[in-house]
Amino acid sequence: MLAAAGCGSGRTGGDSGDAGLVVGTTDKIFSLDPAAAYDNGSLLVETQVYQFLLNTPPGEAVPKPDAAEKCGFSTPTVFTCTLKKDLKFANGNPLTANSVKFSFDRMLKINDPNGPASLLGNLDHTDVVDATTVNFTLKVANDQTFAAILPTQAGPIVDEKVFPADKLLDDDAVWKAKPFSGPYTITSYDKNKLVSYQANSDYNGVLGKPKTDRVSTKYFAGSENMRLDVQNGDIDVAWRSLAPTDIESLRKNDKVTVKEGPGGELRYIIFNMNTMPGANPAAKLAVRKALASSIDREALSTGVYKGTYAPAYSSVPQGVPGATEPFKEIYGEKPNKTAAAKFLADAGLPTPVDLNIQYNTDHYGSTSSEEYAALKSQLEATGLFKVNLQSTEWVSYQKERVKDTYAIFQFGWFPDYPDADDYLTPFFGTNNFLQSHFEDPRINAELLAEVTEPDNAKRMAALATVQRSLAADFIPILPLLSGKQIAVSGKNVSGVENTLDPSFKFRFGVLSK
């Protein structure tokens, strides 16, 4: 895609300039409708324009009241929130307990396959107590994660007078209706080219008054042009995703600052349990185990990503409390051709096994091409596999992967909230986001055990149990790498480091120059 007009070096900067501050990204917006959006590109917009009952302040990991005045368990199965008084959307419509009930009812009713409804798997129903009080009744008591789920993409509060209750709303209809109560509203919208924001003077929440009134987001087709623009001062901040070679180059540039934040991003392969190679479940599992024994993650980390990503040996990345490394323990740190061949032979599978692997470059970065070329080389070097690689543009990719179009495909995860369960229940629980036809009663029971355990030591043990079960007996996904948050800004920009925190929310309101 061509760079959007109007963001060149001739613009004026600062809070008083017409263009304000410009953030560049290669992430793509999938939808402005929260019921359809469960991706980092859409989250970037949602973070600025929607309000949540609870939200995570910059630099913190524990949610605090945003639209709510207070939230907490009134009984073991009822989570109660009291709203601030006189809240309203940017269009003037009131934001009340009815808006909250409508938002959560709608999310569950639509249950879009690309949406975040799976995060609300423990929500039975929502009730309005009065104009400022709402009760969430949970299916299972003592849910240790429910408060952490409210600031996620499952939790934006939407305007019931704008959004239909049972179907999605297209982006133009959303932004023009101004159903926003967050720190910013959208003033112009050219999808995945240029989006402009204006501070919302009526916002009353934990994120506070934005430091910059006008912010624009410029969307890039690839990291190379974004790197050139940030080093030349044509954009103020580059946020997701610069190639490792770009970051390496920019660290040496005295015109910009490279900021790093806590990791948590996961890169992995999903297996469609119905369409992947193998005539029966046992044969399919043998293929997955053979693949797990054939990957060299360290080579991907150092050779492709220059150390900006680390090897991942579980669906829960290292550094997240409760993370273990069962793939390293069971399948080894280095490729083991003998073990891989035995898995296939014991299942009666002839070799080489044909693998069709799909990947994406505009959402997960152009380096995905190098990553998957390296994977192909690793797998084919064993003599056990023949790999056919194909790539697809993100918007189509999102639609096709839930239609069983892809048998084996790349995916990435950016945490909704800083808890190990966020890498488990949304992936492997009932109605999970992967939509790969994986679900198992044993895993559901193990997930329930970790989610409802109030004793932290026992919960850590329960988390270890489910991670080992997934790696040893199921392998619904093959974890590859985990990465840091990295943003690059001009020397005259401040506040970037304040938003690179475990919440994974990039908040424009803390940025200034």
Side-chain angles (χ1 to χ4, degrees):
M1 132 190 350
L2 295 175
C7 293
S9 58
R11 62 179 175 78
T12 57
D15 292 2
S16 60
D18 288 341
L21 188 145
V22 181
V23 177
T25 185
T26 62
D27 279 337
K28 299 296 186 289
I29 302 166
F30 185 69
S31 177
L32 295 184
D33 188 332
Y38 201 4
D39 62 284
N40 212 49
S42 302
L43 174 62
L44 184 65
V45 184
E46 290 178 341
T47 298
Q48 321 315 324
V49 301
Y50 290 110
Q51 198 168 15
F52 302 76
L53 287 168
L54 301 177
N55 212 336
T56 42
E60 300 186 29
V62 178
K64 292 184 177 178
D66 190 19
E69 191 173 80
K70 61 180 179 178
C71 288
F73 279 99
S74 48
T75 76
T77 56
V78 177
F79 193 85
T80 300
C81 288
T82 303
L83 294 170
K84 296 182 174 80
K85 294 181 179 178
D86 300 321
L87 294 174
K88 62 181 179 179
F89 296 99
N91 56 23
N93 293 336
L95 190 163
T96 67
N98 285 324
S99 310
V100 175
K101 173 177 168 56
F102 175 84
S103 300
F104 285 86
D105 287 353
R106 178 178 186 267
M107 183 71 70
L108 290 174
K109 182 178 181 62
I110 291 175
N111 191 24
D112 189 84
N114 282 312
S118 60
L119 287 169
L120 300 175
N122 194 29
L123 177 58
D124 186 75
H125 62 274
T126 307
D127 295 309
V128 171
V129 178
D130 56 41
T132 57
T133 310
V134 63
N135 282 342
F136 298 98
T137 299
L138 308 182
K139 299 171 186 175
V140 177
N142 300 314
D143 184 344
Q144 303 302 299
T145 67
F146 191 74
I149 287 170
L150 292 179
T152 70
Q153 287 189 274
I157 303 170
V158 302
D159 187 348
E160 68 271 35
K161 295 183 179 179
V162 170
F163 287 85
D166 57 357
K167 62 181 180 180
L168 300 175
L169 194 62
D170 70 77
D171 286 6
D172 279 345
V174 172
W175 81 267
K176 289 177 180 177
K178 300 292 187 288
F180 308 129
S181 59
Y184 287 92
T185 62
I186 296 174
T187 56
S188 68
Y189 186 78
D190 189 357
K191 186 169 186 173
N192 294 326
K193 293 183 179 178
L194 185 67
V195 180
S196 299
Y197 299 86
Q198 171 72 44
N200 178 12
S201 59
D202 292 324
Y203 171 65
N204 179 11
V206 71
L207 300 185
K209 176 180 170 58
K211 293 185 176 180
T212 300
D213 286 339
R214 295 178 185 273
V215 180
S216 296
T217 309
K218 180 179 178 181
Y219 292 82
F220 292 84
S223 65
E224 173 65 16
N225 286 338
M226 185 163 72
R227 176 185 66 80
L228 291 171
D229 270 17
V230 74
Q231 73 182 26
N232 292 334
D234 293 335
I235 62 173
D236 299 299
V237 182
W239 163 244
R240 289 201 37 84
S241 289
L242 289 162
T245 50
D246 294 330
I247 295 166
E248 198 172 42
S249 169
L250 290 167
R251 288 188 196 279
K252 303 170 186 174
N253 190 312
D254 59 7
K255 295 181 180 179
V256 299
T257 302
V258 178
K259 298 288 187 180
E260 294 185 359
E265 178 184 346
L266 186 70
R267 298 177 79 93
Y268 55 98
I269 292 171
I270 297 178
F271 301 98
N272 185 306
M273 297 296 173
N274 288 354
T275 62
M276 68 165 291
N280 54 59
K284 293 176 191 294
L285 179 58
V287 172
R288 299 196 296 275
K289 288 185 174 183
L291 287 167
S293 302
S294 302
I295 298 297
D296 189 340
R297 296 170 176 83
E298 185 63 37
L300 297 177
S301 169
T302 57
V304 177
Y305 286 102
K306 315 296 182 188
T308 56
Y309 285 82
Y313 296 97
S314 172
S315 59
V316 182
Q318 287 301 294
V320 177
T324 58
E325 294 190 306
F327 278 88
K328 181 189 287 187
E329 298 161 14
I330 297 167
Y331 305 104
E333 191 170 358
K334 292 293 183 181
N336 186 334
K337 178 182 175 179
T338 302
K342 188 174 189 308
F343 286 128
L344 297 175
D346 288 351
L349 285 161
T351 56
V353 176
D354 289 326
L355 304 175
N356 293 316
I357 302 179
Q358 204 83 15
Y359 68 96
N360 169 268
T361 57
D362 63 317
H363 186 68
Y364 295 120
S366 58
T367 312
S368 291
S369 297
E370 296 175 48
E371 177 185 350
Y372 277 78
L375 276 170
K376 174 182 168 75
S377 295
Q378 289 180 12
L379 295 174
E380 291 188 340
T382 66
L384 302 174
F385 303 101
K386 177 65 177 173
V387 179
N388 173 42
L389 294 177
Q390 293 183 324
S391 64
T392 309
E393 184 266 340
W394 177 245
V395 174
S396 297
Y397 197 89
Q398 272 280 63
K399 294 175 181 176
E400 293 301 321
R401 63 105 184 171
V402 298
K403 296 179 181 178
D404 293 344
T405 304
Y406 309 143
I408 304 172
F409 57 100
Q410 175 195 28
F411 233 57
W413 185 253
F414 314 97
D416 300 290
Y417 51 95
D419 187 281
D421 179 71
D422 189 45
Y423 297 87
L424 297 170
T425 297
F427 284 44
F428 312 117
T430 302
N431 186 34
N432 64 71
F433 173 65
L434 300 184
Q435 299 286 307
S436 63
H437 307 289
F438 174 79
E439 186 178 342
D440 186 85
R442 175 178 144 202
I443 295 299
N444 284 340
E446 292 178 357
L447 291 172
L448 180 63
E450 62 88 2
V451 166
T452 59
E453 177 53 67
D455 182 281
N456 189 60
K458 291 179 180 178
R459 184 167 185 242
M460 293 300 104
L463 285 165
T465 295
V466 69
Q467 287 172 78
R468 184 166 186 85
S469 294
L470 288 163
D473 301 324
F474 298 100
I475 319 184
I477 71 168
L478 184 58
L480 299 176
L481 300 161
S482 63
K484 305 170 184 176
Q485 297 182 78
I486 297 176
V488 179
S489 64
K491 292 284 189 180
N492 62 336
V493 176
S494 61
V496 174
E497 64 278 7
N498 297 330
T499 192
L500 298 180
D501 58 41
S503 75
F504 245 72
K505 289 193 172 189
F506 197 83
R507 312 163 188 87
F508 293 166
V510 302
L511 306 177
S512 63
K513 65 176 183 176

